[in-house]
Amino acid sequence: MDSFSKRLRSEIEYIDISQKEFAAKIGIKKRTLDTYLGLQQSMPPADTAVKIAAALGVSVEYLVTGKEYQQKTDISKYLQYKDLLDDLSVLPEETLVTIKTVVKAFAKGK
C-alpha cells in the first residue's frame, strides 16, 4: 500500500512543479517538505495538510489514506430536473452564465 509520502510525491510530480516551488507555494520550507517526502514518513500538522491538499487539488483524506472522500448524496431529489439538465448541457457557455444569474436572483428572492 502506498504511503502519504508516496502519494504526496506523485501528486507534486503530476502537477509538474519542483519540490522547492511547491514548498514556497504552500508557505513551508523545502526542508520541511523533505520530511514529509522522506523515508521517515513524517505527517504534517492538520493546517499544513489542508494547504498541501488544496494546492494539489486533492483531499487530505486521499493523501493520508489513498481513498477519496465520497459524500453521500440522495440524488433522488434531483431526478425531477434531469430533463432540464439535459437541455442545459447543450447550451453555449454565455447563455448558461445568464441562466445561472437569473436562477440565483430568483433563489435569493425566495
Side-chain angles (χ1 to χ4, degrees):
M1 185 164 135
D2 284 341
S3 65
F4 174 87
S5 61
K6 286 182 182 178
R7 282 186 290 279
L8 176 57
R9 184 180 306 279
S10 175
E11 292 297 326
I12 291 171
E13 289 172 2
Y14 180 77
I15 65 170
D16 195 26
I17 189 173
S18 75
Q19 292 175 8
K20 183 177 181 179
E21 292 171 317
F22 185 73
K25 180 177 181 174
I26 61 171
I28 64 173
K29 295 180 180 181
K30 168 70 166 70
R31 178 176 281 163
T32 303
L33 180 61
D34 290 342
T35 65
Y36 306 147
L37 295 169
L39 296 175
Q40 297 138 347
Q41 298 183 12
S42 174
M43 295 290 283
D47 61 329
T48 303
V50 169
K51 289 178 188 177
I52 289 170
L56 294 171
V58 299
S59 69
V60 174
E61 182 174 2
Y62 168 73
L63 288 174
V64 174
T65 68
K67 297 177 184 175
E68 279 296 330
Y69 172 71
Q70 302 253 334
Q71 183 177 10
K72 293 183 180 180
T73 303
D74 181 12
I75 63 166
S76 63
K77 65 182 179 181
Y78 299 109
L79 290 177
Q80 64 182 328
Y81 304 113
K82 183 186 177 320
D83 292 338
L84 176 60
L85 294 173
D86 288 339
D87 291 340
L88 289 172
S89 70
V90 298
L91 296 175
E93 184 61 33
E94 60 273 4
T95 303
L96 290 174
V97 170
T98 303
I99 291 171
K100 288 177 188 176
T101 303
V102 170
V103 169
K104 285 181 181 182
F106 275 105
K108 285 182 180 179
K110 184 177 170 185

PDB file of all heavy atoms in Angstrom, residues 28-60:
ATOM      1  N   ILE A  28       5.894  26.732   3.238  1.00  0.00           N
ATOM      2  CA  ILE A  28       6.758  25.994   4.157  1.00  0.00           C
ATOM      3  C   ILE A  28       8.159  25.944   3.572  1.00  0.00           C
ATOM      4  O   ILE A  28       8.367  26.230   2.392  1.00  0.00           O
ATOM      5  CB  ILE A  28       6.247  24.554   4.428  1.00  0.00           C
ATOM      6  CG1 ILE A  28       6.258  23.713   3.146  1.00  0.00           C
ATOM      7  CG2 ILE A  28       4.880  24.573   5.084  1.00  0.00           C
ATOM      8  CD1 ILE A  28       5.929  22.252   3.357  1.00  0.00           C
ATOM      9  N   LYS A  29       9.120  25.568   4.399  1.00  0.00           N
ATOM     10  CA  LYS A  29      10.498  25.447   3.929  1.00  0.00           C
ATOM     11  C   LYS A  29      10.660  24.137   3.167  1.00  0.00           C
ATOM     12  O   LYS A  29       9.983  23.143   3.448  1.00  0.00           O
ATOM     13  CB  LYS A  29      11.468  25.473   5.112  1.00  0.00           C
ATOM     14  CG  LYS A  29      11.467  26.802   5.834  1.00  0.00           C
ATOM     15  CD  LYS A  29      12.427  26.786   6.995  1.00  0.00           C
ATOM     16  CE  LYS A  29      12.384  28.149   7.684  1.00  0.00           C
ATOM     17  NZ  LYS A  29      13.296  28.238   8.801  1.00  0.00           N
ATOM     18  N   LYS A  30      11.566  24.151   2.213  1.00  0.00           N
ATOM     19  CA  LYS A  30      11.849  22.944   1.427  1.00  0.00           C
ATOM     20  C   LYS A  30      12.266  21.801   2.350  1.00  0.00           C
ATOM     21  O   LYS A  30      11.861  20.652   2.156  1.00  0.00           O
ATOM     22  CB  LYS A  30      12.945  23.257   0.392  1.00  0.00           C
ATOM     23  CG  LYS A  30      13.558  22.056  -0.311  1.00  0.00           C
ATOM     24  CD  LYS A  30      12.612  21.392  -1.267  1.00  0.00           C
ATOM     25  CE  LYS A  30      13.306  20.417  -2.203  1.00  0.00           C
ATOM     26  NZ  LYS A  30      13.808  19.203  -1.620  1.00  0.00           N
ATOM     27  N   ARG A  31      13.045  22.105   3.375  1.00  0.00           N
ATOM     28  CA  ARG A  31      13.499  21.094   4.324  1.00  0.00           C
ATOM     29  C   ARG A  31      12.299  20.437   5.025  1.00  0.00           C
ATOM     30  O   ARG A  31      12.297  19.232   5.272  1.00  0.00           O
ATOM     31  CB  ARG A  31      14.440  21.715   5.342  1.00  0.00           C
ATOM     32  CG  ARG A  31      14.917  20.731   6.384  1.00  0.00           C
ATOM     33  CD  ARG A  31      15.917  21.339   7.305  1.00  0.00           C
ATOM     34  NE  ARG A  31      17.206  21.345   6.612  1.00  0.00           N
ATOM     35  CZ  ARG A  31      18.243  22.073   6.958  1.00  0.00           C
ATOM     36  NH1 ARG A  31      18.160  22.887   7.979  1.00  0.00           N
ATOM     37  NH2 ARG A  31      19.366  22.014   6.300  1.00  0.00           N
ATOM     38  N   THR A  32      11.278  21.232   5.329  1.00  0.00           N
ATOM     39  CA  THR A  32      10.074  20.691   5.958  1.00  0.00           C
ATOM     40  C   THR A  32       9.351  19.753   4.998  1.00  0.00           C
ATOM     41  O   THR A  32       8.928  18.654   5.388  1.00  0.00           O
ATOM     42  CB  THR A  32       9.133  21.834   6.405  1.00  0.00           C
ATOM     43  OG1 THR A  32       9.836  22.690   7.293  1.00  0.00           O
ATOM     44  CG2 THR A  32       7.891  21.298   7.082  1.00  0.00           C
ATOM     45  N   LEU A  33       9.222  20.181   3.743  1.00  0.00           N
ATOM     46  CA  LEU A  33       8.600  19.324   2.739  1.00  0.00           C
ATOM     47  C   LEU A  33       9.380  18.022   2.603  1.00  0.00           C
ATOM     48  O   LEU A  33       8.794  16.941   2.471  1.00  0.00           O
ATOM     49  CB  LEU A  33       8.505  20.043   1.385  1.00  0.00           C
ATOM     50  CG  LEU A  33       7.875  19.242   0.246  1.00  0.00           C
ATOM     51  CD1 LEU A  33       6.438  18.847   0.570  1.00  0.00           C
ATOM     52  CD2 LEU A  33       7.944  20.022  -1.059  1.00  0.00           C
ATOM     53  N   ASP A  34      10.691  18.108   2.654  1.00  0.00           N
ATOM     54  CA  ASP A  34      11.530  16.911   2.561  1.00  0.00           C
ATOM     55  C   ASP A  34      11.196  15.900   3.658  1.00  0.00           C
ATOM     56  O   ASP A  34      11.254  14.691   3.427  1.00  0.00           O
ATOM     57  CB  ASP A  34      13.018  17.271   2.633  1.00  0.00           C
ATOM     58  CG  ASP A  34      13.513  17.997   1.395  1.00  0.00           C
ATOM     59  OD1 ASP A  34      12.832  17.929   0.347  1.00  0.00           O
ATOM     60  OD2 ASP A  34      14.579  18.636   1.475  1.00  0.00           O
ATOM     61  N   THR A  35      10.834  16.394   4.844  1.00  0.00           N
ATOM     62  CA  THR A  35      10.484  15.461   5.925  1.00  0.00           C
ATOM     63  C   THR A  35       9.191  14.722   5.607  1.00  0.00           C
ATOM     64  O   THR A  35       9.027  13.574   5.996  1.00  0.00           O
ATOM     65  CB  THR A  35      10.349  16.161   7.295  1.00  0.00           C
ATOM     66  OG1 THR A  35       9.254  17.073   7.269  1.00  0.00           O
ATOM     67  CG2 THR A  35      11.634  16.854   7.689  1.00  0.00           C
ATOM     68  N   TYR A  36       8.272  15.377   4.899  1.00  0.00           N
ATOM     69  CA  TYR A  36       7.016  14.718   4.517  1.00  0.00           C
ATOM     70  C   TYR A  36       7.234  13.733   3.383  1.00  0.00           C
ATOM     71  O   TYR A  36       6.489  12.768   3.238  1.00  0.00           O
ATOM     72  CB  TYR A  36       5.959  15.741   4.115  1.00  0.00           C
ATOM     73  CG  TYR A  36       5.705  16.809   5.137  1.00  0.00           C
ATOM     74  CD1 TYR A  36       5.359  18.089   4.743  1.00  0.00           C
ATOM     75  CD2 TYR A  36       5.808  16.560   6.496  1.00  0.00           C
ATOM     76  CE1 TYR A  36       5.123  19.091   5.666  1.00  0.00           C
ATOM     77  CE2 TYR A  36       5.582  17.554   7.439  1.00  0.00           C
ATOM     78  CZ  TYR A  36       5.241  18.818   7.004  1.00  0.00           C
ATOM     79  OH  TYR A  36       5.010  19.804   7.928  1.00  0.00           O
ATOM     80  N   LEU A  37       8.242  13.990   2.557  1.00  0.00           N
ATOM     81  CA  LEU A  37       8.540  13.135   1.414  1.00  0.00           C
ATOM     82  C   LEU A  37       9.550  12.043   1.756  1.00  0.00           C
ATOM     83  O   LEU A  37       9.747  11.124   0.964  1.00  0.00           O
ATOM     84  CB  LEU A  37       9.093  13.978   0.254  1.00  0.00           C
ATOM     85  CG  LEU A  37       8.129  14.984  -0.355  1.00  0.00           C
ATOM     86  CD1 LEU A  37       8.857  15.928  -1.289  1.00  0.00           C
ATOM     87  CD2 LEU A  37       6.996  14.276  -1.081  1.00  0.00           C
ATOM     88  N   GLY A  38      10.183  12.129   2.893  1.00  0.00           N
ATOM     89  CA  GLY A  38      11.278  11.237   3.258  1.00  0.00           C
ATOM     90  C   GLY A  38      10.849   9.867   3.719  1.00  0.00           C
ATOM     91  O   GLY A  38       9.663   9.542   3.828  1.00  0.00           O
ATOM     92  N   LEU A  39      11.836   9.069   4.009  1.00  0.00           N
ATOM     93  CA  LEU A  39      11.609   7.694   4.450  1.00  0.00           C
ATOM     94  C   LEU A  39      10.983   7.611   5.831  1.00  0.00           C
ATOM     95  O   LEU A  39      10.354   6.618   6.174  1.00  0.00           O
ATOM     96  CB  LEU A  39      12.934   6.920   4.431  1.00  0.00           C
ATOM     97  CG  LEU A  39      13.563   6.743   3.049  1.00  0.00           C
ATOM     98  CD1 LEU A  39      14.923   6.076   3.177  1.00  0.00           C
ATOM     99  CD2 LEU A  39      12.651   5.954   2.138  1.00  0.00           C
ATOM    100  N   GLN A  40      11.165   8.649   6.640  1.00  0.00           N
ATOM    101  CA  GLN A  40      10.608   8.628   7.986  1.00  0.00           C
ATOM    102  C   GLN A  40       9.091   8.789   7.984  1.00  0.00           C
ATOM    103  O   GLN A  40       8.434   8.570   8.988  1.00  0.00           O
ATOM    104  CB  GLN A  40      11.234   9.743   8.834  1.00  0.00           C
ATOM    105  CG  GLN A  40      12.712   9.561   9.009  1.00  0.00           C
ATOM    106  CD  GLN A  40      13.460  10.874   8.865  1.00  0.00           C
ATOM    107  OE1 GLN A  40      12.902  11.867   8.410  1.00  0.00           O
ATOM    108  NE2 GLN A  40      14.723  10.866   9.220  1.00  0.00           N
ATOM    109  N   GLN A  41       8.548   9.177   6.847  1.00  0.00           N
ATOM    110  CA  GLN A  41       7.103   9.339   6.670  1.00  0.00           C
ATOM    111  C   GLN A  41       6.478  10.227   7.732  1.00  0.00           C
ATOM    112  O   GLN A  41       5.490   9.897   8.369  1.00  0.00           O
ATOM    113  CB  GLN A  41       6.418   7.980   6.618  1.00  0.00           C
ATOM    114  CG  GLN A  41       6.888   7.144   5.458  1.00  0.00           C
ATOM    115  CD  GLN A  41       6.161   5.817   5.347  1.00  0.00           C
ATOM    116  OE1 GLN A  41       5.153   5.587   5.993  1.00  0.00           O
ATOM    117  NE2 GLN A  41       6.659   4.959   4.503  1.00  0.00           N
ATOM    118  N   SER A  42       7.074  11.369   7.923  1.00  0.00           N
ATOM    119  CA  SER A  42       6.558  12.351   8.857  1.00  0.00           C
ATOM    120  C   SER A  42       5.250  12.931   8.306  1.00  0.00           C
ATOM    121  O   SER A  42       5.137  13.202   7.115  1.00  0.00           O
ATOM    122  CB  SER A  42       7.595  13.459   9.041  1.00  0.00           C
ATOM    123  OG  SER A  42       7.078  14.494   9.831  1.00  0.00           O
ATOM    124  N   MET A  43       4.275  13.103   9.168  1.00  0.00           N
ATOM    125  CA  MET A  43       2.986  13.673   8.755  1.00  0.00           C
ATOM    126  C   MET A  43       2.950  15.146   9.136  1.00  0.00           C
ATOM    127  O   MET A  43       3.359  15.509  10.234  1.00  0.00           O
ATOM    128  CB  MET A  43       1.839  12.942   9.445  1.00  0.00           C
ATOM    129  CG  MET A  43       1.705  11.493   9.037  1.00  0.00           C
ATOM    130  SD  MET A  43       1.141  11.301   7.343  1.00  0.00           S
ATOM    131  CE  MET A  43      -0.575  11.645   7.547  1.00  0.00           C
ATOM    132  N   PRO A  44       2.422  15.981   8.251  1.00  0.00           N
ATOM    133  CA  PRO A  44       2.329  17.408   8.558  1.00  0.00           C
ATOM    134  C   PRO A  44       1.207  17.679   9.557  1.00  0.00           C
ATOM    135  O   PRO A  44       0.287  16.875   9.698  1.00  0.00           O
ATOM    136  CB  PRO A  44       2.005  18.032   7.204  1.00  0.00           C
ATOM    137  CG  PRO A  44       1.292  16.964   6.457  1.00  0.00           C
ATOM    138  CD  PRO A  44       1.923  15.670   6.910  1.00  0.00           C
ATOM    139  N   PRO A  45       1.267  18.830  10.212  1.00  0.00           N
ATOM    140  CA  PRO A  45       0.135  19.233  11.060  1.00  0.00           C
ATOM    141  C   PRO A  45      -1.106  19.423  10.181  1.00  0.00           C
ATOM    142  O   PRO A  45      -0.999  19.631   8.966  1.00  0.00           O
ATOM    143  CB  PRO A  45       0.581  20.563  11.656  1.00  0.00           C
ATOM    144  CG  PRO A  45       1.997  20.755  11.288  1.00  0.00           C
ATOM    145  CD  PRO A  45       2.346  19.791  10.210  1.00  0.00           C
ATOM    146  N   ALA A  46      -2.260  19.368  10.778  1.00  0.00           N
ATOM    147  CA  ALA A  46      -3.517  19.428  10.035  1.00  0.00           C
ATOM    148  C   ALA A  46      -3.616  20.664   9.143  1.00  0.00           C
ATOM    149  O   ALA A  46      -4.028  20.555   7.981  1.00  0.00           O
ATOM    150  CB  ALA A  46      -4.697  19.377  10.995  1.00  0.00           C
ATOM    151  N   ASP A  47      -3.233  21.839   9.646  1.00  0.00           N
ATOM    152  CA  ASP A  47      -3.354  23.049   8.839  1.00  0.00           C
ATOM    153  C   ASP A  47      -2.443  22.993   7.616  1.00  0.00           C
ATOM    154  O   ASP A  47      -2.822  23.437   6.530  1.00  0.00           O
ATOM    155  CB  ASP A  47      -3.086  24.310   9.668  1.00  0.00           C
ATOM    156  CG  ASP A  47      -1.688  24.354  10.265  1.00  0.00           C
ATOM    157  OD1 ASP A  47      -1.117  23.289  10.578  1.00  0.00           O
ATOM    158  OD2 ASP A  47      -1.163  25.468  10.437  1.00  0.00           O
ATOM    159  N   THR A  48      -1.273  22.403   7.762  1.00  0.00           N
ATOM    160  CA  THR A  48      -0.365  22.261   6.619  1.00  0.00           C
ATOM    161  C   THR A  48      -0.892  21.212   5.651  1.00  0.00           C
ATOM    162  O   THR A  48      -0.816  21.390   4.436  1.00  0.00           O
ATOM    163  CB  THR A  48       1.054  21.892   7.096  1.00  0.00           C
ATOM    164  OG1 THR A  48       1.510  22.897   8.005  1.00  0.00           O
ATOM    165  CG2 THR A  48       2.019  21.785   5.941  1.00  0.00           C
ATOM    166  N   ALA A  49      -1.448  20.130   6.168  1.00  0.00           N
ATOM    167  CA  ALA A  49      -2.026  19.092   5.308  1.00  0.00           C
ATOM    168  C   ALA A  49      -3.149  19.660   4.453  1.00  0.00           C
ATOM    169  O   ALA A  49      -3.279  19.324   3.270  1.00  0.00           O
ATOM    170  CB  ALA A  49      -2.521  17.928   6.151  1.00  0.00           C
ATOM    171  N   VAL A  50      -3.944  20.542   5.035  1.00  0.00           N
ATOM    172  CA  VAL A  50      -5.033  21.175   4.290  1.00  0.00           C
ATOM    173  C   VAL A  50      -4.459  22.046   3.164  1.00  0.00           C
ATOM    174  O   VAL A  50      -4.947  22.015   2.032  1.00  0.00           O
ATOM    175  CB  VAL A  50      -5.937  22.004   5.230  1.00  0.00           C
ATOM    176  CG1 VAL A  50      -6.895  22.879   4.451  1.00  0.00           C
ATOM    177  CG2 VAL A  50      -6.694  21.078   6.171  1.00  0.00           C
ATOM    178  N   LYS A  51      -3.412  22.809   3.452  1.00  0.00           N
ATOM    179  CA  LYS A  51      -2.773  23.638   2.421  1.00  0.00           C
ATOM    180  C   LYS A  51      -2.190  22.780   1.312  1.00  0.00           C
ATOM    181  O   LYS A  51      -2.316  23.107   0.129  1.00  0.00           O
ATOM    182  CB  LYS A  51      -1.658  24.492   3.033  1.00  0.00           C
ATOM    183  CG  LYS A  51      -2.130  25.615   3.907  1.00  0.00           C
ATOM    184  CD  LYS A  51      -0.939  26.364   4.484  1.00  0.00           C
ATOM    185  CE  LYS A  51      -1.336  27.378   5.516  1.00  0.00           C
ATOM    186  NZ  LYS A  51      -0.172  28.037   6.120  1.00  0.00           N
ATOM    187  N   ILE A  52      -1.541  21.694   1.698  1.00  0.00           N
ATOM    188  CA  ILE A  52      -0.947  20.788   0.704  1.00  0.00           C
ATOM    189  C   ILE A  52      -2.027  20.219  -0.195  1.00  0.00           C
ATOM    190  O   ILE A  52      -1.915  20.247  -1.431  1.00  0.00           O
ATOM    191  CB  ILE A  52      -0.170  19.650   1.416  1.00  0.00           C
ATOM    192  CG1 ILE A  52       1.097  20.194   2.063  1.00  0.00           C
ATOM    193  CG2 ILE A  52       0.166  18.531   0.431  1.00  0.00           C
ATOM    194  CD1 ILE A  52       1.810  19.196   2.986  1.00  0.00           C
ATOM    195  N   ALA A  53      -3.086  19.699   0.406  1.00  0.00           N
ATOM    196  CA  ALA A  53      -4.168  19.092  -0.374  1.00  0.00           C
ATOM    197  C   ALA A  53      -4.815  20.104  -1.306  1.00  0.00           C
ATOM    198  O   ALA A  53      -5.067  19.809  -2.482  1.00  0.00           O
ATOM    199  CB  ALA A  53      -5.210  18.485   0.563  1.00  0.00           C
ATOM    200  N   ALA A  54      -5.059  21.308  -0.807  1.00  0.00           N
ATOM    201  CA  ALA A  54      -5.682  22.342  -1.639  1.00  0.00           C
ATOM    202  C   ALA A  54      -4.790  22.705  -2.819  1.00  0.00           C
ATOM    203  O   ALA A  54      -5.270  22.855  -3.948  1.00  0.00           O
ATOM    204  CB  ALA A  54      -5.991  23.577  -0.801  1.00  0.00           C
ATOM    205  N   ALA A  55      -3.497  22.831  -2.578  1.00  0.00           N
ATOM    206  CA  ALA A  55      -2.566  23.190  -3.647  1.00  0.00           C
ATOM    207  C   ALA A  55      -2.462  22.084  -4.693  1.00  0.00           C
ATOM    208  O   ALA A  55      -2.201  22.359  -5.871  1.00  0.00           O
ATOM    209  CB  ALA A  55      -1.186  23.488  -3.069  1.00  0.00           C
ATOM    210  N   LEU A  56      -2.692  20.849  -4.268  1.00  0.00           N
ATOM    211  CA  LEU A  56      -2.618  19.711  -5.197  1.00  0.00           C
ATOM    212  C   LEU A  56      -3.960  19.393  -5.839  1.00  0.00           C
ATOM    213  O   LEU A  56      -4.032  18.596  -6.769  1.00  0.00           O
ATOM    214  CB  LEU A  56      -2.095  18.477  -4.461  1.00  0.00           C
ATOM    215  CG  LEU A  56      -0.654  18.550  -3.973  1.00  0.00           C
ATOM    216  CD1 LEU A  56      -0.331  17.371  -3.076  1.00  0.00           C
ATOM    217  CD2 LEU A  56       0.305  18.621  -5.151  1.00  0.00           C
ATOM    218  N   GLY A  57      -5.024  19.975  -5.305  1.00  0.00           N
ATOM    219  CA  GLY A  57      -6.356  19.696  -5.847  1.00  0.00           C
ATOM    220  C   GLY A  57      -6.878  18.319  -5.461  1.00  0.00           C
ATOM    221  O   GLY A  57      -7.633  17.698  -6.205  1.00  0.00           O
ATOM    222  N   VAL A  58      -6.462  17.840  -4.288  1.00  0.00           N
ATOM    223  CA  VAL A  58      -6.933  16.553  -3.781  1.00  0.00           C
ATOM    224  C   VAL A  58      -7.413  16.754  -2.349  1.00  0.00           C
ATOM    225  O   VAL A  58      -7.224  17.814  -1.772  1.00  0.00           O
ATOM    226  CB  VAL A  58      -5.821  15.470  -3.824  1.00  0.00           C
ATOM    227  CG1 VAL A  58      -5.345  15.225  -5.254  1.00  0.00           C
ATOM    228  CG2 VAL A  58      -4.648  15.829  -2.926  1.00  0.00           C
ATOM    229  N   SER A  59      -7.999  15.721  -1.780  1.00  0.00           N
ATOM    230  CA  SER A  59      -8.453  15.826  -0.390  1.00  0.00           C
ATOM    231  C   SER A  59      -7.352  15.371   0.556  1.00  0.00           C
ATOM    232  O   SER A  59      -6.464  14.595   0.179  1.00  0.00           O
ATOM    233  CB  SER A  59      -9.704  14.956  -0.174  1.00  0.00           C
ATOM    234  OG  SER A  59      -9.373  13.582  -0.263  1.00  0.00           O
ATOM    235  N   VAL A  60      -7.418  15.847   1.780  1.00  0.00           N
ATOM    236  CA  VAL A  60      -6.490  15.396   2.811  1.00  0.00           C
ATOM    237  C   VAL A  60      -6.685  13.893   3.022  1.00  0.00           C
ATOM    238  O   VAL A  60      -5.716  13.146   3.177  1.00  0.00           O
ATOM    239  CB  VAL A  60      -6.695  16.163   4.134  1.00  0.00           C
ATOM    240  CG1 VAL A  60      -5.832  15.578   5.242  1.00  0.00           C
ATOM    241  CG2 VAL A  60      -6.404  17.642   3.951  1.00  0.00           C
TER     242      VAL A  60
END
